[in-house]
């Protein structure tokens, strides 16, 4: 879909959408349009009881005096409540409706609408951003498509505004973020027979085209580094485990980087502690954390972020096999700490243990944020609306919470404390890899904290937000792309030069 911005014009073929705030009379271009149609818009509004409430749409087909085949009046809600998220929602909902109409072009008129906290240019850019996010499809493996999927589809979107120049500038950045989100969605949606660790690493290498320096460590290198925790998870797989390091140097030379670490279990059977068959196919998404980090690095590099950033992802496959690790095994992590394996399905924290230690040890970052589809317990606590936030630093936690609110990717901070450490103490090793059902998400975070070595750190448990995501106005995909917007905002607001 080609997206462009233009000055106000009503002489456009295809569909024409006019945005209307609740309770307001038609103003600006909308009033002009009503005049050209001989007042048909106002008559239609009155007949249908259309008042501009958020999410409402009124279609006027075959209106005289305009080139458009159909005119859509789109409600935005009250002017005082207008926000970036609301504009994105409007853009997404419009695309969803237009797709059912078999229109190939859509023009959206944004005129006569004011919002104190949202400049006209940004409002137009956010509408286009929402439309772009809604347009995502992952149907590459469908060879026989249903009749309703074979329609031509929307080819062009023009957002008409009196602030076209600033809208283009704002959207130029947002489009790069959308690209990163689409990469994340693609990775999460791919089947596990296609996206095994080596293939994932290959796709991460493609970021080198954007200026990202990418290194891939194989099992021999990780063994030499002493990464017994990560390597143990992949013993049962025919695919070699990988550690991918992505570096973007857009900041000052020598300045400490910010770091993001992702769990990349490309498929998780649970290993010897085998999961139940029902729903196991969803475990292709157990690499959602690594997918987010990869998409984020794409977004930062594509928009030339003025920051030094590191992305580290541990890529493994957790399979049952004669070589697979067993409950009762004891492994030695890169940090030198030993771990008793109680349950081989508590594998993500083992991957992160070595990835976190490696990151803090090599790069000495300003902070580390790790992302992982780590526990089912976080969905019991928070559902699919929030990701769980755990941290050793109040300032970083506040920054993440604020970024989440701004980008509609919300996080909720949960407690940590020494009392929970007792649940992961082991009589045979320094710790065990699970502390039982009680406080399962918290004890997983307590485990990870032992590998950050006093670095400022936050852990995001994204089991409920990265995959099998609820369908929304801006996402109809199984993989959501969650986290790219949140972390990009964190960097942009607080860590860029």
């Amino acid at each position: 879909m080609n997206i462009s911005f233009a000055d106000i014009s009503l002489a456009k073929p295809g569909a024409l959408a006019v945005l209307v705030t609740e309770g307001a009379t038609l103003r600006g271009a909308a009033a002009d349009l009503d005049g050209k149609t001989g007042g048909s818009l106002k008559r239609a509004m009155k007949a249908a009881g259309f008042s501009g409430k958020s999410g409402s749409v009124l279609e006027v087909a075959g209106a005289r005096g305009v080139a458009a085949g159909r005119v859509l009046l789109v409600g935005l809600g009250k002017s005082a409540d207008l926000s970036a998220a609301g504009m994105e929602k409007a853009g997404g909902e419009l695309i969803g409706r237009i797709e059912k109409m078999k229109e190939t072009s859509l023009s959206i008129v944004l005129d006569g609408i004011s919002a104190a906290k949202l400049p006209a240019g940004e409002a137009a850019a956010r509408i286009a951003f929402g439309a772009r996010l809604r347009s995502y499809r992952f149907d590459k493996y469908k060879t026989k498509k249903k009749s309703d999927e074979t329609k031509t589809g929307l080819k062009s979107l023009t957002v008409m505004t009196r602030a076209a120049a600033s809208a283009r500038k704002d959207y130029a950045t947002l489009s790069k973020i959308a690209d990163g989100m689409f990469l994340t969605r693609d990775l999460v949606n791919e089947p596990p027979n296609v996206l095994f660790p080596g293939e994932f690493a290959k796709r991460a290498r493609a970021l080198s085209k954007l200026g990202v320096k990418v290194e891939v460590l194989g099992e021999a290198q990780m063994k030499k580094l002493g990464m017994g925790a990560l390597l143990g998870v992949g013993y049962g797989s025919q695919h070699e485990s990988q550690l991918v390091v992505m570096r973007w140097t857009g900041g000052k030379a020598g300045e400490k980087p910010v770091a993001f670490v992702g769990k990349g279990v490309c498929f998780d059977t649970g290993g010897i502690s085998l999961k139940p068959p029902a729903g196991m196919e969803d475990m292709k998404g157990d690499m959602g954390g690594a997918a987010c980090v990869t998409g984020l690095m794409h977004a930062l590099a594509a928009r030339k972020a003025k920051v030094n950033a590191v992305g580290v992802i541990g890529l493994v496959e957790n399979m049952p096999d004669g070589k697979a690790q067993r409950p009762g095994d004891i492994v030695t992590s890169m940090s030198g700490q030993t771990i008793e394996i109680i349950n081989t399905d508590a594998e993500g924290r083992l991957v992160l243990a070595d990835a976190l230690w490696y990151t803090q040890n090599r790069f000495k970052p300003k902070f580390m944020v790790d992302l992982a589809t780590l526990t089912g317990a976080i969905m019991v606590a928070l559902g699919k609306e929030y990701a769980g936030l755990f941290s050793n630093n109040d300032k970083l936690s506040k920054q993440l919470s604020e970024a989440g609110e701004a980008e509609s990717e919300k996080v909720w901070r949960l407690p940590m404390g020494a009392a929970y450490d007792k649940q992961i103490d082991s009589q045979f090793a320094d710790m065990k890899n699970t502390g039982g059902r009680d406080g399962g998400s918290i004890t997983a975070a307590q485990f990870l904290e032992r590998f950050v070595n006093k670095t400022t750190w936050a852990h995001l448990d994204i089991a409920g937000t990265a995959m099998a995501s609820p369908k929304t106005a801006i996402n109809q995909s199984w993989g959501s792309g969650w986290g790219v917007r949140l972390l990009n905002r964190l960097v942009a607001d607080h860590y860029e030069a």
Side-chain angles (χ1 to χ4, degrees):
M1 180 174 65
N2 179 55
I3 295 176
S4 61
F5 299 88
D7 291 333
I8 300 294
S9 169
L10 302 179
K12 287 281 186 178
L16 180 64
V18 179
L19 305 184
V20 183
T21 54
E22 186 174 348
T25 58
L26 297 180
R27 299 172 180 170
D32 292 343
L33 180 63
D34 186 54
K36 289 179 180 293
T37 64
S40 63
L41 300 188
K42 287 183 179 177
R43 288 195 296 271
M45 291 170 65
K46 183 177 181 180
F50 179 85
S51 62
K53 288 185 178 181
S54 177
S56 62
V57 178
L58 175 63
E59 179 182 352
V60 181
R64 296 179 180 180
V66 292
R70 69 180 88 220
V71 177
L72 301 173
L73 298 174
V74 181
L76 294 177
K78 297 178 180 178
S79 295
D81 296 335
L82 288 182
S83 64
M87 302 308 281
E88 290 170 16
K89 179 182 177 183
E93 288 176 339
L94 254 177
I95 295 303
R97 183 171 288 253
I98 287 294
E99 284 175 342
K100 299 175 181 178
M101 297 177 177
K102 300 186 179 180
E103 293 281 2
T104 59
S105 67
L106 170 66
S107 300
I108 302 175
V109 178
L110 179 61
D111 187 38
I113 294 171
S114 61
K117 297 181 180 179
L118 197 64
E122 184 183 355
R126 290 285 178 171
I127 289 170
F129 185 44
R132 172 89 189 282
L133 294 179
R134 175 61 178 257
S135 72
Y136 175 86
R137 293 290 181 273
F138 188 84
D139 57 6
K140 62 192 284 189
Y141 297 108
K142 288 190 174 184
T143 60
K144 296 180 180 179
K145 298 182 180 180
K146 298 177 182 178
S147 58
D148 64 346
E149 295 174 330
T150 59
K151 53 182 176 284
T152 304
L154 192 65
K155 299 298 184 184
S156 68
L157 170 65
T158 303
V159 181
M160 294 187 287
T161 171
R162 301 191 191 280
S166 61
R168 289 188 196 99
K169 183 178 179 181
D170 288 343
Y171 183 72
T173 297
L174 291 171
S175 68
K176 303 299 190 302
I177 299 169
D179 290 341
M181 292 177 68
F182 283 10
L183 173 58
T184 299
R185 290 178 182 180
D186 282 346
L187 292 169
V188 173
N189 285 329
E190 283 284 8
N193 60 316
V194 172
L195 196 76
F196 48 88
E199 174 62 20
F200 197 134
K202 179 181 177 181
R203 298 194 188 190
R205 281 189 186 276
L207 297 187
S208 60
K209 297 176 182 178
L210 296 173
V212 178
K213 296 179 181 178
V214 184
E215 304 170 56
V216 179
L217 281 63
E219 289 186 352
Q221 293 163 291
M222 287 189 281
K223 185 175 182 180
K224 190 173 181 179
L225 289 169
M227 294 187 177
L230 186 154
L231 289 171
V233 177
Y235 282 159
S237 174
Q238 63 177 328
H239 297 295
E240 183 174 338
S241 299
Q242 316 264 277
L243 186 81
V244 179
V245 181
M246 298 165 279
R247 289 182 290 161
W248 167 250
T249 52
K252 296 178 181 179
E255 185 175 19
K256 287 184 177 182
V258 296
F260 304 94
V261 181
K263 169 190 170 182
V265 180
C266 295
F267 193 75
D268 180 23
T269 65
I272 297 300
S273 305
L274 194 67
K275 293 178 180 289
M280 193 192 289
E281 68 276 7
D282 285 353
M283 289 300 98
K284 71 175 188 176
D286 207 20
M287 30 56 70
C292 173
V293 171
T294 307
L296 172 67
M297 295 301 293
H298 184 289
L300 294 177
R303 69 175 185 80
K304 306 298 182 187
K306 296 178 181 180
V307 69
N308 295 331
V310 174
V312 177
I313 54 176
L315 305 175
V316 302
E317 190 177 57
N318 188 22
M319 301 290 286
D321 182 82
K323 296 179 181 178
Q325 70 179 1
R326 296 146 293 220
D329 285 359
I330 293 177
V331 298
T332 303
S333 67
M334 184 182 175
S335 70
Q337 298 174 91
T338 57
I339 306 163
E340 180 187 7
I341 308 302
I342 300 298
N343 186 326
T344 64
D345 194 24
E347 85 300 331
R349 65 202 69 183
L350 299 173
V351 174
L352 288 173
D354 281 338
L356 285 166
W357 188 267
Y358 175 86
T359 301
Q360 63 82 28
N361 188 57
R362 177 179 174 183
F363 297 107
K364 308 294 190 294
K366 292 179 180 178
F367 67 76
M368 295 190 294
V369 175
D370 78 73
L371 299 97
T373 50
L374 204 64
T375 67
I378 203 67
M379 288 187 282
V380 174
L382 301 177
K384 291 180 172 288
E385 302 304 316
Y386 286 78
L389 165 64
F390 304 83
S391 182
N392 62 5
N393 186 272
D394 292 340
K395 179 181 177 181
L396 179 58
S397 295
K398 184 173 184 290
Q399 291 172 347
L400 284 165
S401 295
E402 290 174 348
E405 289 291 334
E407 295 294 341
S408 297
E409 291 189 339
K410 298 180 180 180
V411 299
W412 190 268
R413 192 176 184 184
L414 282 88
M416 297 182 68
Y420 293 104
D421 280 326
K422 297 176 182 178
Q423 290 178 235
I424 56 172
D425 287 340
S426 166
Q427 63 176 318
F428 300 111
D430 294 326
M431 70 196 83
K432 52 188 178 181
N433 75 326
T434 179
R437 289 176 58 85
D438 294 349
S441 297
I442 298 173
T443 54
Q446 293 290 142
F447 179 95
L448 295 177
E449 189 180 25
R450 298 187 181 196
F451 299 91
V452 303
N453 202 21
K454 297 183 180 180
T455 300
T456 297
W457 158 81
H459 160 58
L460 299 179
D461 193 333
I462 61 174
T465 57
M467 59 181 180
S469 50
K471 290 185 176 3
T472 67
I474 60 174
N475 180 43
Q476 297 288 297
S477 168
W478 189 81
S480 65
W482 194 97
V484 174
R485 298 178 64 173
L486 164 72
L487 298 176
N488 176 78
R489 173 64 74 114
L490 172 73
V491 171
D493 284 355
H494 301 289
Y495 296 96
E496 286 195 60

